[in-house]
Amino acid sequence: MENGKRKAIVLLSGGLDSMLAARLMLDQGIHVEGINFFTGFCVEGHTHAVREDRQKRNLRNSALHSAEQLGIRLHIVDVIDEYKDVVLNPRHGYGTHLNPCLDCKGFMVGKARAWMEQNGFDFIVTGEVLGQRPMSQRRDTFPVIARESGATDRLLRPLCARLLPETLPEREGWVDRERLLGLSGRSRKPQIALAAAYGFTYAQPAGGCCFLTDANYTHKLKDLWRSRGERRYDFDDIMLLKIGRHLRPRPHFKLIVGREAGENRFLEGYRNRFVHMWALDHNGPLVLLQGDANEADLDLAASITARFGQGRGALKVRVAVGRPGGPLGERDVKPLPAHALAAEWYL
Amino acid sequence: MMPHLDARYLLCPMPVIRVSACVAGLSTGEVLTVRCTDRGALNDLPAWCRLEGHEVLQAEADSSGDVVLTILVHK
Ligand code: SF4
């Protein structure tokens, strides 16, 4: 124990609650460091960082921003591969969309527990509030998280600890239970007042969490699984679902159409993974093609590419087609007329 | 040779994760150059360096639009 201080690892999401939980620990003289897990689905800079039209906003990782305000170290850990099992086979099922919140919490606290043990820390802290989230923040699910993560009574939830059974850090007197809070329910007023008292700035009160709660995003993910005939994904798949317009004109292929310069630039990075196309004689998007396309499909894809560019009113547009490893020629196409762009193609 | 990290086409927070892994293998006084396409890296990498005590010598977007940072490692 450095300077006799007890050490806590805080799951720092970038939202307000975990920042307040960390601050309550600092106020009690605990040595605090933050840990943040990148699952691939996190709502972080991502799409915002890609789109040039949104770059004027102050883009920053909110967990890092929280850590800076707290003056603590932050460990950002890539859990993309391990997290797949949580998404694909959640023991406790999904929330409204594809969000396996209870399994996800158990997984993250479990990772934090392993980190705590490896690094000689004493306990784990989260910003959970009793009754705030329907699936994972309930009186009956809190013990599930503590048990399945293996954290047991080394898991402290300072924002609502007064409403919960005593944990090891309280029993041992490492923290004073009297100075912990008893927040519950969905109201955010006490947290917002505390944030103001501490002078914190934060992204959104609830802390963004992830794309697995997003109807549009999960619709695209399910489409991907359907088209492959199996539920699996890799990192690039889930990144690309956040970028561009997605259209599936035929069951066996889909197109990802860049919406503006920033997205086109990002899609450039995938030229060596997919067949791709762009108009030569007009400005327009870079389009990636995922799936198998025959000659007729390539013509259709090229006419859609022309449709989304500035040559949409031209009689003919020359579209270059590339594939991993080199060019696949050029073709002259008539831009697809607006009425032929079927609404059901859009994902 | 100066260590160089290509973090292009990676989105937040991957550039930070890659830089952190790379810096773990370097010693005080070494200078790491990182190239990113994610503009957010201009905020995030300096923030991460401040927390870890490393020094950002330079951080700017070059003519290609990539963000290039040079980081002096302090341990
Ligand atoms: S919203 Fe996403 S990140 Fe948050 S607990 Fe649920 S699954 Fe996990």
Side-chain angles (χ1 to χ4, degrees):
Chain A
M1 244 191 308
E2 177 199 55
N3 306 327
K5 274 191 179 186
R6 288 289 167 178
K7 296 183 178 177
I9 184 74
V10 180
L11 273 84
L12 210 58
S13 66
L16 176 55
D17 292 349
S18 55
M19 195 173 15
L20 291 172
R23 178 58 202 252
L24 291 177
M25 293 297 96
L26 289 169
D27 287 351
Q28 294 213 24
I30 303 290
H31 171 92
V32 178
E33 296 188 14
I35 194 161
N36 176 268
F37 298 106
F38 181 54
T39 63
F41 296 105
C42 309
V43 180
E44 215 18 282
H46 284 136
T47 38
H48 308 303
V50 171
R51 293 189 68 153
E52 220 159 57
D53 52 0
R54 303 204 176 147
Q55 288 188 358
K56 287 178 189 70
R57 291 192 208 157
N58 201 7
L59 301 169
R60 59 190 175 195
N61 177 287
S62 41
L64 267 173
H65 185 60
S66 307
E68 267 212 292
Q69 294 184 70
L70 292 160
I72 63 173
R73 290 185 76 188
L74 176 67
H75 310 276
I76 304 181
V77 183
D78 163 358
V79 293
I80 296 160
D81 279 334
E82 289 165 86
Y83 194 73
K84 285 180 188 169
D85 191 47
V86 179
V87 178
L88 299 175
N89 310 302
R91 249 187 291 178
H92 302 287
Y94 298 108
T96 317
H97 296 290
L98 282 175
N99 47 312
C101 293
L102 188 48
D103 290 78
C104 172
K105 276 282 153 63
F107 169 83
M108 287 186 183
V109 175
K111 295 292 291 178
R113 179 195 44 83
W115 191 97
M116 166 186 82
E117 286 164 359
Q118 272 157 23
N119 292 277
F121 274 51
D122 300 294
F123 62 104
I124 302 157
V125 166
T126 68
E128 290 164 299
V129 168
L130 193 62
Q132 184 161 276
R133 298 252 167 99
M135 193 175 185
S136 56
Q137 303 192 4
R138 295 196 322 235
R139 197 176 280 282
D140 58 330
T141 54
F142 273 177
V144 176
I145 298 170
R147 191 177 60 239
E148 293 188 355
S149 62
T152 60
D153 64 351
R154 285 183 188 259
L155 173 57
L156 178 67
R157 300 166 166 112
L159 299 188
C160 58
R162 299 273 288 275
L163 305 173
L164 303 173
E166 256 191 340
T167 58
L168 184 75
E170 295 159 278
R171 272 203 310 279
E172 293 292 322
W174 303 339
V175 301
D176 177 2
R177 183 173 170 93
E178 296 303 307
R179 292 166 65 199
L180 302 175
L181 306 181
L183 303 184
S184 68
R186 303 185 76 107
S187 162
R188 316 255 333 135
K189 282 195 188 131
Q191 288 97 312
I192 291 167
L194 271 172
Y198 284 128
F200 286 157
T201 62
Y202 47 92
Q204 327 118 299
C209 257
C210 83
F211 273 106
L212 292 170
T213 58
D214 182 286
N216 263 323
Y217 184 89
T218 50
H219 175 70
K220 287 186 274 188
L221 183 56
K222 287 177 189 162
D223 165 79
L224 187 88
W225 288 342
R226 238 190 335 269
S227 73
R228 286 192 178 152
E230 60 176 329
R231 283 157 46 96
R232 69 176 162 81
Y233 64 83
D234 66 24
F235 180 59
D236 287 330
D237 291 332
I238 59 177
M239 286 297 116
L240 283 170
L241 293 183
K242 298 170 187 167
I243 311 290
R245 263 187 202 95
H246 291 234
L247 296 101
R248 185 175 291 286
R250 298 284 180 269
H252 51 281
F253 78 92
K254 81 177 235 188
L255 301 174
I256 303 175
V257 182
R259 285 173 294 196
E260 46 76 75
E263 288 194 339
N264 289 334
R265 201 169 139 70
F266 181 80
L267 294 176
E268 295 270 338
Y270 289 88
R271 277 172 181 265
N272 56 6
R273 288 271 319 263
F274 301 103
V275 169
H276 51 275
M277 41 187 79
W278 68 99
L280 285 170
D281 39 12
H282 297 275
N283 282 333
L286 180 67
V287 175
L288 301 185
L289 187 153
Q290 282 183 327
D292 301 312
N294 58 31
E295 280 303 307
D297 296 332
L298 286 176
D299 274 335
L300 174 60
S303 67
I304 293 173
T305 301
R307 166 79 221 157
F308 283 106
Q310 281 172 8
R312 65 179 67 88
L315 284 176
K316 231 187 230 171
V317 171
R318 174 154 282 229
V319 173
V321 183
R323 65 174 161 195
L328 197 63
E330 296 172 6
R331 43 189 81 206
D332 289 317
V333 293
K334 188 170 171 307
L336 198 74
H339 64 82
L341 205 59
E344 61 270 20
W345 291 355
Y346 282 91
L347 295 174
Chain B
M1 226 184 61
M2 248 180 32
H4 197 105
L5 180 68
D6 181 359
R8 285 176 308 156
Y9 308 117
L10 295 177
L11 298 179
C12 159
M14 285 311 287
V16 177
I17 292 174
R18 292 282 165 83
V19 166
S20 154
C22 194
V23 166
L26 301 177
S27 339
T28 298
E30 287 193 86
V31 175
L32 172 68
T33 304
V34 195
R35 181 174 285 271
C36 308
T37 42
D38 180 354
R39 291 259 165 167
L42 270 180
N43 292 320
D44 293 344
L45 288 173
W48 180 81
C49 288
R50 283 193 293 277
L51 290 174
E52 294 295 314
H54 310 303
E55 193 180 334
V56 177
L57 301 177
Q58 209 180 357
E60 58 187 21
D62 76 1
S63 52
S64 70
D66 290 355
V67 169
V68 183
L69 289 103
T70 47
I71 298 169
L72 174 62
V73 176
H74 286 283
K75 286 198 171 167

